[in-house]
Amino acid sequence: MKTAGRKRARPSCPALKVREAASMYFTLLAVFLVILVAALQGTDRREGDFPYKVPLDPQGLMELSWNVSYRREEVHFQILVKDLRYGLLFGMSDRGGFDHADLAVLWSDGRHSYFADAWTDQDGQLHMDAQQDYKLIRAQKTPEGLYLLFKRSFGTCDPKDYLIEDGTVHLIYGILEAPVPSLHAVNVSALRWKGLQRVQLLKPKISVPEMPSDTMTMEIRAPNVEVPDQETTYWCYITELPDGFAKHHIIKYEPVITKGNEALVHHMEVFQCAAQFDTFPHYSGPCDSKMKPERLNFCRHVLAAWAMGAQAFYYPEEAGLVFGGPSSSRYLRLEVHYHNPLELKGRQDSSGIRLYYTASLRRYDAGIMELGLVYTPVMAIPPGESHFHLTGYCTDKCTQVEIRMLKKVVTVLPGGFGIMEEMCVNYIHYYPQTSLELCKSAVDLGYLHRYFNLVNSFNDEDICTCPETSVTQQFASVPWNSFNRDILKSLYDFAPISMHCNQSTAVRFPGEWEKQPLPTIVEVLRESRPHCERGSDPLPTSPTLVDLDRTAAK
């Protein structure tokens, strides 16, 4: 009910003097210009802002952080060396080797320290690069260790430099344990502490959607795992959702890594178990153990996947991954891959994945689809190959759906989806969801047997092609001369394929999937080449003198 009353008198405002009004006007104008400039600059990273981070060595003594500026087409690298001795090497190569590598090198002759852009030849010998494209910005000692900050353009027009582009980059590193008189005197092959780390350097620029007010979190973690003292371990852990857990949408997930184990946890996945079983036995142990319950093999529906160097994953505001509900299982399987090349003992770990979810369901249910090659020995790489292409296809008989990739929304058209990158598992997140969860291919087994028979007819040593002999054994008995290698390459390029179009239960959809023709590639994606310009003035070829005695304030 409304009530009548007298209007309140407005408080009077003191009159502003002309000088005060002008001062306020120009202050507001300056603030507006600052905001405008910031908006025009977009989301470019500042030099000191390093959102991406990965340990380089298994002990975590070297840590890499970086940011990407697409506007300037350059990457800023920051390396933290917790125990600097006499220098370090850091760089990139095509396949992770120290030959034909593009390197930034910090070294000491015992009195002074130097920084330079270098490259290695086919024997791994270091040479000063005539074009110095690794630009040192700062070297600073802190209580944590030495911070080395430098930058590099995506493309440099230098034939000795690695072209930084989309995809996996092989980063290599090394630690110098003794002074050297010059760059050329560094013996790369003799370095005790050196290695390889694979990352995606060029992270895409994506806007982070705002989290809804009813967002909840759940951590799926394997508690108190004693990491085995072996190089590779896959650890499986079963947990369950509360009774009557309703349908929600996962809208974000991120890793939760036990502090100090950042170099041990290589990748993690969360799977939902099959709804056809009422219960699943609880288990925490190696995934390949004979003690692992057989039923855990029915936990295949992917909810989240993370690999070293990746950040949090967000779904777009109009989609979310279904989580819970009466038609799904309450049981989840966490799988953690521990990479322990130094076979460290006694390391405790409770890492996992944090899920962000909401009860406010979004317009679309999202899905996750696995693409690539079927895990089978029929797709083999001959020994000693410097490069060998294996292609996985997802044909138009399997799917024709709209998907959202990390950079933009695209449509999967009828035809092939070739996987040429060096990866073990390829997932795409897409919407709206379909019941297809795996779309992979392998060469037709019958044509592979024809290959073994053909090799038999041209070689003195017989290859056993009897039914009881496995494909692995038959490949092992092939004499790998140039003829046999070339014929295998041709087989993979032209032979029919076996398609695996599977549901989350690992059962194929009904249909004819054997001896399928290779799809026709109707369009090849253009390779984007970063813009690069040569300066008119020759760049210096002498190393940069580095003052390592300067210590940053705490």
Side-chain angles (χ1 to χ4, degrees):
M1 183 178 62
K2 295 183 179 180
T3 57
R6 290 183 299 176
K7 292 183 180 180
R8 294 185 179 180
R10 295 180 181 176
S12 61
C13 297
L16 294 175
K17 296 180 180 179
V18 175
R19 180 178 298 177
E20 292 173 340
S23 175
M24 182 179 295
Y25 169 80
F26 285 112
T27 300
L28 292 173
L29 180 61
V31 172
F32 172 77
L33 289 176
V34 170
I35 295 173
L36 179 62
V37 169
L40 290 175
Q41 287 179 340
T43 57
D44 246 5
R45 298 287 182 182
R46 297 188 305 274
E47 178 185 298
D49 180 16
F50 296 95
Y52 315 119
K53 183 183 297 185
V54 68
L56 287 176
D57 67 301
Q59 290 181 301
L61 299 178
M62 296 178 66
E63 182 180 271
L64 171 68
S65 305
W66 74 98
N67 65 42
V68 180
S69 170
Y70 282 96
R71 183 171 60 87
R72 295 190 297 266
E73 294 190 355
E74 63 186 20
V75 181
H76 281 78
F77 297 97
Q78 178 178 269
I79 296 180
L80 168 61
V81 188
K82 298 178 181 178
D83 183 20
L84 180 68
R85 298 173 189 182
Y86 289 93
L88 62 90
L89 292 79
F90 169 82
M92 297 160 273
S93 66
D94 285 337
R95 295 177 180 85
F98 280 81
D99 57 324
H100 301 291
D102 175 17
L103 296 164
V105 185
L106 175 71
W107 77 95
S108 171
D109 60 7
R111 295 185 303 162
H112 303 291
S113 296
Y114 304 90
F115 177 90
D117 183 345
W119 57 276
T120 57
D121 57 27
Q122 67 274 10
D123 300 318
Q125 176 62 53
L126 270 173
H127 302 271
M128 183 85 68
D129 200 326
Q131 185 173 314
Q132 293 288 295
D133 293 304
Y134 283 108
K135 310 285 188 178
L136 180 64
I137 299 172
R138 184 170 59 251
Q140 201 165 57
K141 285 185 178 179
T142 72
E144 297 176 274
L146 175 74
Y147 280 95
L148 192 68
L149 175 62
F150 53 96
K151 67 179 181 179
R152 172 56 156 78
S153 297
F154 295 174
T156 64
C157 298
D158 183 350
K160 300 298 184 184
D161 284 355
Y162 182 94
L163 177 63
I164 301 175
E165 53 190 345
D166 287 332
T168 302
V169 178
H170 293 78
L171 302 178
I172 55 178
Y173 65 89
I175 296 178
L176 304 182
E177 298 184 280
V180 290
S182 67
L183 174 75
H184 192 77
V186 176
N187 187 350
V188 176
S189 61
L191 296 180
R192 281 197 314 138
W193 299 101
K194 62 182 178 181
L196 160 72
Q197 183 63 276
R198 297 181 179 93
V199 301
Q200 178 195 15
L201 276 183
L202 298 189
K203 302 290 187 180
K205 282 195 304 185
I206 57 172
S207 58
V208 176
E210 185 177 348
M211 293 289 101
S213 59
D214 65 343
T215 300
M216 297 168 280
T217 63
M218 178 184 298
E219 292 186 355
I220 312 298
R221 304 171 71 172
N224 304 319
V225 174
E226 183 166 339
V227 181
D229 55 343
Q230 59 190 34
E231 181 173 352
T232 301
T233 299
Y234 283 83
W235 194 271
C236 285
Y237 172 72
I238 292 291
T239 187
E240 59 183 293
L241 300 173
D243 284 328
F245 190 78
K247 179 181 177 179
H248 293 76
H249 270 166
I250 295 174
I251 55 178
K252 171 188 172 181
Y253 62 80
E254 64 186 1
V256 184
I257 310 295
T258 299
K259 188 173 178 58
N261 290 348
E262 293 83 1
L264 285 177
V265 180
H266 185 268
H267 71 263
M268 300 180 289
E269 295 175 272
V270 176
F271 302 89
Q272 192 159 37
C273 299
Q276 66 193 79
F277 300 101
D278 293 330
T279 62
F280 281 80
H282 285 271
Y283 176 76
S284 182
C287 298
D288 58 354
S289 171
K290 294 181 180 179
M291 302 299 294
K292 187 191 80 171
E294 195 71 23
R295 187 169 290 186
L296 268 60
N297 294 330
F298 290 88
C299 302
R300 299 172 179 267
H301 175 63
V302 181
L303 293 181
W306 170 88
M308 184 181 287
Q311 301 298 105
F313 179 86
Y314 297 83
Y315 280 96
E317 294 180 350
E318 63 270 25
L321 191 73
V322 173
F323 179 49
S327 61
S328 64
S329 173
R330 294 192 300 113
Y331 292 88
L332 308 177
R333 175 167 68 93
L334 171 69
E335 184 176 295
V336 182
H337 173 202
Y338 294 110
H339 179 59
N340 186 10
L342 300 180
E343 300 182 352
L344 304 173
K345 299 178 183 289
R347 298 293 287 270
Q348 296 285 326
D349 186 71
S350 298
S351 298
I353 291 180
R354 181 182 295 120
L355 305 175
Y356 292 74
Y357 60 100
T358 175
S360 302
L361 301 182
R362 297 179 168 184
R363 180 181 178 186
Y364 295 110
D365 289 343
I368 300 178
M369 190 185 305
E370 185 177 347
L371 304 174
L373 289 164
V374 180
Y375 302 140
T376 170
V378 304
M379 305 299 294
I381 298 177
E385 291 286 336
S386 60
H387 60 278
F388 195 91
H389 286 171
L390 293 176
T391 304
Y393 296 95
C394 183
T395 65
D396 58 343
K397 288 186 67 174
C398 278
T399 181
Q400 188 174 3
V401 297
E402 183 180 357
I403 64 172
R404 175 175 284 252
M405 302 297 287
L406 291 180
K407 289 188 176 178
K408 60 183 179 179
V409 178
V410 300
T411 301
V412 179
L413 301 171
F417 196 103
I419 304 297
M420 303 300 292
E421 295 180 325
E422 183 181 348
M423 300 178 73
C424 294
V425 181
N426 301 278
Y427 290 126
I428 61 169
H429 298 252
Y430 71 96
Y431 65 90
Q433 182 187 28
T434 71
S435 52
L436 177 64
E437 289 212 1
L438 183 144
C439 190
K440 291 185 167 186
S441 67
V443 69
D444 180 77
L445 187 58
Y447 276 76
L448 183 62
H449 283 307
R450 295 184 189 181
Y451 166 78
F452 291 133
N453 290 329
L454 177 67
V455 170
N456 262 343
S457 64
F458 282 89
N459 291 278
D460 296 332
E461 300 178 16
D462 285 345
I463 300 172
C464 182
T465 56
C466 42
E468 62 270 15
T469 305
S470 69
V471 170
T472 303
Q473 291 173 313
Q474 293 180 70
F475 268 125
S477 61
V478 171
W480 289 111
N481 52 45
S482 59
F483 175 80
N484 293 338
R485 293 170 186 270
D486 291 341
I487 294 299
L488 183 63
K489 289 179 182 178
S490 298
L491 176 79
Y492 288 149
D493 287 340
F494 301 106
I497 54 177
S498 169
M499 282 303 307
H500 288 240
C501 299
N502 298 0
Q503 306 170 57
S504 59
T505 57
V507 176
R508 289 190 193 182
F509 285 95
E512 180 55 49
W513 303 116
E514 302 302 329
K515 293 183 173 55
Q516 295 295 298
L518 290 180
T520 302
I521 307 299
V522 295
E523 183 180 358
V524 178
L525 296 178
R526 289 186 305 168
E527 291 189 18
S528 59
R529 293 284 171 175
H531 174 72
C532 56
E533 290 183 0
R534 292 258 183 140
S536 56
D537 298 327
L539 295 169
T541 56
S542 58
T544 302
L545 184 65
V546 183
D547 181 10
L548 296 183
D549 293 328
R550 187 176 55 150
T551 304
K554 294 183 180 179

